[in-house]
Amino acid sequence: MDLFSGFTRIDRRLIYLLLTLFVILPFFVKFRIPQNIMPQTKNLFEFIENLNPTSEKAVLLSIDYTPQTMPECHPMALSLLTHCFKKKIPVIGVSFDPQAPGLAIEAFNWVANKINSIARSSSDSIIYGRDYVYLGWKSGRIAALLEMGEKISNVFPKDYYNNYTDSLSLMKKIKNYRDISIAIILAAADYPQEWLMYAQARHGLKLGAGLTAVMAPKYYPFLQTGQLSGMISGMKGAAEYENLLLRYGYTETTGKAEIGMNSQTLVHLLIIGLIIIGNVGYLATKKKDKKMFKGTQPSRQKGRIS
Amino acid sequence: MSPDPWIWLAAFLTMMVFSFLFRDNPFYKFAEHLFVGVANGYYIVFYWHQALKPNLFEPLKNGNLIYLIPLILGLLYFTRFIPRWSWLVRLPLGFMIGWGAGISIPANIQAFIFRQIEGTIVTPEILNSGWEGIWAVLIFIGVICTVIYFFFSTEHRGVLKYGARFGIIFIMLGFGASFGYTVMARVSLLIGRIQFLLGPWLGLIK
């Protein structure tokens, strides 16, 4: 077997090994690959950046991702919550995916605890019920999305912790979609589509989305029409948002998505390299086969005729 | 290294799943079956405690007899298993299809058809806005050519032939973008698992 035919027969286990090495390398060898920030991420960031904390409108975060898609969507949730909490914009969390509540609680607690650990007074702190509320999971999401336009507490009479929703100080100000400045759907399935159909088309609610990379191409047309005010797509989008938070001074370090993007870039380079090697091998062996075939062609044809 | 036995269990299960990359083996099969079982168990318990109990059985217990209607409609789905009564399944199906169509058709037309057509139309204001105008024209041509490609009622000849061929380029660009994003998504999941193994389990990274 010569070199070129070897290129077309690389053992898949060797490829997996290389892939693993390229993923692990950036965690130990520190380097930074510059990220360009895509307009849709910037638009969502700027939308939240331009919100007025005194307007008494909240950001609604629909946390609908699953443990499988955590590496992409969880950094988005942490970044969005950090941004909102640091700007003192109230946040209401809901979920329509059965696997999401645990992850939502983890995200809310992590960000709130981080901010509270350096807070000096009650006004600096993030307090449940005053600054944020997590209403939990609800079945029958289409009916719920429609009903929330009338009254949120009709759909969620109690929050995740079994408190009566109307008894929470934040929920006394937030009745329905009119009191929501933007709803951001962090999803690993087609939930944003239903928000577009029932919450936006019917009630005119502004929407943003944080999606897994697989879903992102499907939602680009909604950005162009303005149906989505912004979008964070995949780990790259999450890393972009982390970068923006760092640039605007909301955090001192970037998060997991930024580190992950270094591995992502290396793996993409590896994949491109392997595609080139495979094609070179294929073209070279094809050329060689053609030559061999040309040499044997007359006798073969003869054989066929006889 | 983590002292938490749950982290160790998660790490071992992750390794068992990864072992499939070498070849199919009993460790992978065990992890796969365990996942399916746990996921189903989770869903059954979750739906009982979060959906059926609070939304149906508790109101019924409190004397809200109106909830008998959804209960009966739901139970009628099971008549499918009794040949003599199986025609009754049409009642909940008819209700669901009627409700579903009624609620989704207008919303679909409004959110996906009208708004997308609006987004494709090239207006004089967009044309005067430099690069945005050029992109708008390109999108318009792309949409028309892609639609031509999927127009099968007439043979692709003459203008239709060139339109369809140009449409293929846009379709391929779309597929390329989707494929690129899909690769990125899958690699992201691998990165997430590696971050878990190196971080919470082995403690080698923060």
Side-chain angles (χ1 to χ4, degrees):
Chain A
M1 190 172 68
D2 65 4
L3 183 69
F4 287 122
S5 70
F7 281 174
T8 60
R9 289 188 189 87
I10 302 171
D11 192 324
R12 64 187 168 85
R13 280 164 287 205
L14 181 68
I15 295 173
Y16 291 139
L17 189 70
L18 282 172
L19 206 76
T20 312
L21 287 174
F22 274 62
V23 170
I24 292 173
L25 194 71
F27 294 116
F28 299 104
V29 182
K30 291 286 165 211
F31 60 91
R32 196 162 179 267
I33 297 167
Q35 305 277 336
N36 66 318
I37 290 164
M38 287 160 82
Q40 62 266 29
T41 315
K42 192 136 203 275
N43 287 347
L44 190 60
F45 181 87
E46 277 172 0
F47 191 100
I48 293 177
E49 186 62 17
N50 295 330
L51 288 178
N52 185 359
T54 55
S55 72
E56 297 203 328
K57 280 192 171 188
V59 165
L60 194 147
L61 216 57
S62 185
I63 298 180
D64 293 316
Y65 55 89
T66 54
Q68 300 94 302
T69 49
M70 230 179 133
E72 290 186 282
C73 297
H74 205 59
M76 295 176 197
L78 300 181
S79 297
L80 284 164
L81 286 171
T82 306
H83 196 186
C84 291
F85 286 165
K86 291 231 168 154
K87 270 193 71 82
K88 281 284 169 192
I89 295 162
V91 179
I92 295 170
V94 293
S95 291
F96 293 106
D97 192 294
Q99 293 187 53
L103 302 173
I105 287 298
E106 194 189 311
F108 274 110
N109 287 346
W110 192 84
V111 179
N113 290 341
K114 199 179 173 197
I115 293 173
N116 290 343
S117 67
I118 49 166
R120 288 176 185 173
S121 64
S122 163
S123 61
D124 288 345
S125 307
I126 299 299
I127 297 168
Y128 186 81
R130 185 192 75 180
D131 301 304
Y132 75 100
V133 162
Y134 180 61
L135 299 175
W137 178 84
K138 197 74 192 172
S139 61
R141 60 181 178 274
I142 294 173
L145 287 177
L146 289 168
E147 183 61 27
M148 277 164 72
E150 305 300 325
K151 202 170 180 216
I152 294 172
S153 59
N154 281 355
V155 180
F156 294 97
K158 286 179 180 177
D159 72 352
Y160 181 79
Y161 300 103
N162 250 353
N163 303 306
Y164 282 100
T165 305
D166 284 332
S167 70
L168 300 163
S169 63
L170 173 61
M171 293 311 289
K172 283 177 183 156
K173 295 181 271 182
I174 312 293
K175 298 286 174 209
N176 54 33
Y177 289 148
R178 276 195 291 276
D179 305 313
I180 303 289
S181 47
I182 189 168
I184 302 169
I185 302 103
L186 302 177
D190 259 341
Y191 298 117
Q193 204 165 303
E194 282 157 7
W195 281 88
L196 283 164
M197 280 164 69
Y198 303 111
Q200 198 198 47
R202 293 225 174 168
H203 296 278
L205 179 68
K206 287 214 174 292
L207 291 180
L211 309 168
T212 58
V214 178
M215 293 166 66
K218 194 177 168 184
Y219 285 88
Y220 271 93
F222 301 110
L223 283 169
Q224 196 226 340
T225 55
Q227 286 165 282
L228 287 178
S229 302
M231 181 170 87
I232 312 175
S233 44
M235 190 178 262
K236 176 162 168 40
E240 288 167 7
Y241 209 96
E242 284 176 0
N243 260 305
L244 284 166
L245 287 179
L246 187 74
R247 269 189 216 176
Y248 281 70
Y250 289 108
T251 53
E252 282 156 14
T253 51
T254 51
K256 275 187 171 179
E258 171 77 17
I259 303 162
M261 277 316 286
N262 289 338
S263 302
Q264 187 81 252
T265 312
L266 283 191
V267 168
H268 274 70
L269 288 174
L270 174 73
I271 291 170
I272 292 167
L274 287 170
I275 290 171
I276 292 169
I277 287 173
N279 277 284
V280 166
Y282 169 72
L283 290 171
T285 48
K286 198 181 156 192
K287 217 174 169 184
K288 211 175 156 191
D289 286 350
K290 224 178 177 179
K291 264 185 190 170
M292 277 172 64
F293 182 67
K294 249 185 182 175
T296 55
Q297 206 174 18
S299 60
R300 270 196 184 183
Q301 257 181 350
K302 226 183 220 172
R304 209 179 289 158
I305 291 160
S306 64
Chain B
M1 272 194 181
S2 170
D4 187 346
W6 290 107
I7 298 269
W8 276 81
L9 183 69
F12 276 126
L13 286 169
T14 304
M15 304 296 269
M16 282 180 184
V17 172
F18 278 153
S19 70
F20 185 77
L21 297 174
F22 187 71
R23 74 162 72 110
D24 198 2
N25 63 72
F27 295 108
Y28 170 75
K29 281 203 170 80
F30 172 77
E32 190 188 26
H33 288 92
L34 187 72
F35 175 74
V36 173
V38 168
N40 275 313
Y42 173 80
Y43 274 111
I44 290 167
V45 173
F46 188 87
Y47 278 114
W48 170 256
H49 284 288
Q50 302 287 328
L52 280 172
K53 209 172 150 199
N55 296 339
L56 181 68
F57 292 112
E58 274 174 9
L60 271 176
K61 220 167 120 184
N62 295 335
N64 283 330
L65 295 180
I66 193 85
Y67 283 83
L68 279 172
I69 297 170
L71 175 65
I72 292 166
L73 276 173
L75 288 173
L76 285 178
Y77 274 110
F78 292 100
T79 59
R80 199 90 184 103
F81 301 111
I82 313 161
R84 240 178 109 190
W85 301 96
S86 64
W87 60 275
L88 281 169
V89 81
R90 289 175 193 158
L91 289 171
L93 280 178
F95 179 80
M96 279 309 292
I97 292 167
W99 178 82
I103 212 151
S104 72
I105 290 171
N108 248 302
I109 293 171
Q110 206 179 342
F112 301 136
I113 298 176
F114 288 162
R115 290 299 300 271
Q116 290 303 311
I117 291 172
E118 271 174 38
T120 313
I121 290 169
V122 182
T123 56
E125 294 85 58
I126 294 177
L127 278 177
N128 291 332
S129 54
W131 274 107
E132 215 178 306
I134 294 167
W135 287 119
V137 171
L138 198 71
I139 287 170
F140 179 76
I141 295 168
V143 169
I144 299 292
C145 292
T146 307
V147 171
I148 288 173
Y149 176 77
F150 286 107
F151 186 73
F152 300 122
S153 304
T154 319
E155 198 180 339
H156 287 172
R157 272 190 197 166
V159 182
L160 283 183
K161 182 181 150 190
Y162 293 108
R165 281 197 179 169
F166 203 53
I168 292 174
I169 296 171
F170 284 92
I171 295 167
M172 288 302 152
L173 284 171
F175 286 158
S178 290
F179 179 71
Y181 265 119
T182 306
V183 171
M184 189 161 89
R186 301 299 171 235
V187 173
S188 298
L189 304 189
L190 173 68
I191 293 167
R193 279 294 81 194
I194 300 271
Q195 276 179 333
F196 165 74
L197 292 175
L198 295 177
W201 184 41
L202 295 174
L204 295 174
I205 58 168
K206 271 186 186 177

